[in-house]
Amino acid sequence: MTLSRCKKTLLSLAGMASLLLLPLQASAAGLPTPEQLQQLAPDISLNVLQLAMGAVKCANATLGDKENFLTVIDFSRPSREKRLWVFDLRAMRLVFDEWVTHGKNSGGDVATDFSNQPNSYQTSLGLYRTGETYYGKHGKSLRLAGLEQGINSNSEARGIVIHSASYADPSVIPSLGRLGRSEGCPAVRPAVAQPLIDTLQQGSYVFAYYPSQQWINSSRFLNNDYCPAGRGTQRAAL
């Protein structure tokens, strides 16, 4: 082979290599994978992250919104443990890793019962979007808009918000054996409430998880038939 032909061959191979790299570059510019998020927060179940990211993809496709942050709450974990994580989806970094309360009628240390009904004092599952902030008896609070009909759609009417609470501080665990409980709100400790709310008010999906097959099977954001955008992600996690 002549030197000229050798150069042409090398250029051709380089061109093919650059084409092969294009899908990887496009993927890197999009949403992180559940596996990438788990590298940032190894304590979260991959199953939970698969469901959460499937819900995010479906919400992006069907609602037309793309929030910068994702908040994952795993209510299958006891309140004594950190079970709230906030991810910056654009920068692909973990922003918060925190304790969070559940409703007083949802259970003791571990939540087992969930409701969308007013005055139930229970936590609701499913996908939310963060809303407006306001100042109330708990200081600066952040409204949550439930996106799932019959699952968390009464969140605004119920006054379900992220707020500060002294009973959400792990210092109460030695005496109670758990965190204190709310009237259904995901309350966080006072030391972190302000920066966490300031971050989430920029726009975050909130994914509240519990291994309820009834919810998982009926959720519009976890249903492959309703939302082809997330096809395979949800089903693989079931």
Side-chain angles (χ1 to χ4, degrees), residues 156-234:
E156 292 174 285
R158 295 178 62 199
I160 301 301
V161 301
I162 296 177
H163 65 76
S164 170
S166 58
Y167 56 77
D169 193 287
S171 62
V172 307
I173 294 174
S175 60
L176 296 179
R178 53 169 172 76
L179 285 188
R181 294 167 297 172
S182 67
E183 295 183 354
C185 296
V188 296
R189 59 192 177 104
V192 77
Q194 180 80 36
L196 186 144
I197 290 172
D198 287 346
T199 297
L200 297 189
Q201 74 178 74
Q202 300 176 53
S204 176
Y205 288 118
V206 178
F207 185 77
Y209 168 83
Y210 184 80
S212 165
Q213 285 302 126
Q214 181 180 1
W215 159 60
I216 292 172
N217 291 336
S218 63
S219 170
R220 60 179 287 194
F221 297 105
L222 300 178
N223 188 315
N224 285 330
D225 295 328
Y226 172 80
C227 193
R231 189 177 299 279
T233 304
Q234 300 97 315

Side-chain angles (χ1 to χ4, degrees), residues 72-90:
V72 177
I73 304 175
D74 184 355
F75 282 117
S76 70
R77 299 171 68 100
S79 66
R80 291 173 287 110
E81 299 178 4
K82 292 182 176 181
R83 54 181 182 171
L84 179 152
W85 301 267
V86 178
F87 297 96
D88 183 332
L89 297 177
R90 287 191 175 182

Side-chain angles (χ1 to χ4, degrees), residues 14-30:
M16 291 174 61
S18 66
L19 288 174
L20 290 172
L21 287 174
L22 286 177
L24 296 177
Q25 292 168 348
S27 175

Side-chain angles (χ1 to χ4, degrees), residues 37-87:
L37 294 183
Q38 192 184 45
Q39 289 180 2
L40 300 174
D43 288 341
I44 309 182
S45 161
L46 181 59
N47 174 71
V48 174
L49 289 172
Q50 287 174 330
L51 289 169
M53 288 307 298
V56 167
K57 288 179 181 179
C58 183
N60 284 350
T62 59
L63 302 179
D65 295 328
K66 295 184 179 180
E67 306 295 1
N68 294 335
F69 295 91
L70 169 63
T71 303
V72 177
I73 304 175
D74 184 355
F75 282 117
S76 70
R77 299 171 68 100
S79 66
R80 291 173 287 110
E81 299 178 4
K82 292 182 176 181
R83 54 181 182 171
L84 179 152
W85 301 267
V86 178
F87 297 96

Side-chain angles (χ1 to χ4, degrees), residues 58-129:
C58 183
N60 284 350
T62 59
L63 302 179
D65 295 328
K66 295 184 179 180
E67 306 295 1
N68 294 335
F69 295 91
L70 169 63
T71 303
V72 177
I73 304 175
D74 184 355
F75 282 117
S76 70
R77 299 171 68 100
S79 66
R80 291 173 287 110
E81 299 178 4
K82 292 182 176 181
R83 54 181 182 171
L84 179 152
W85 301 267
V86 178
F87 297 96
D88 183 332
L89 297 177
R90 287 191 175 182
M92 207 181 80
R93 63 190 181 94
L94 179 65
V95 187
F96 293 98
D97 177 4
E98 280 297 322
W99 293 268
V100 66
T101 67
H102 56 255
K104 62 179 67 176
N105 287 343
S106 281
D109 185 26
V110 179
T112 55
D113 299 299
F114 304 89
S115 176
N116 188 40
Q117 296 303 311
N119 302 315
S120 66
Y121 295 157
Q122 291 185 2
T123 292
S124 298
L125 299 175
L127 188 68
Y128 301 78
R129 182 193 289 126

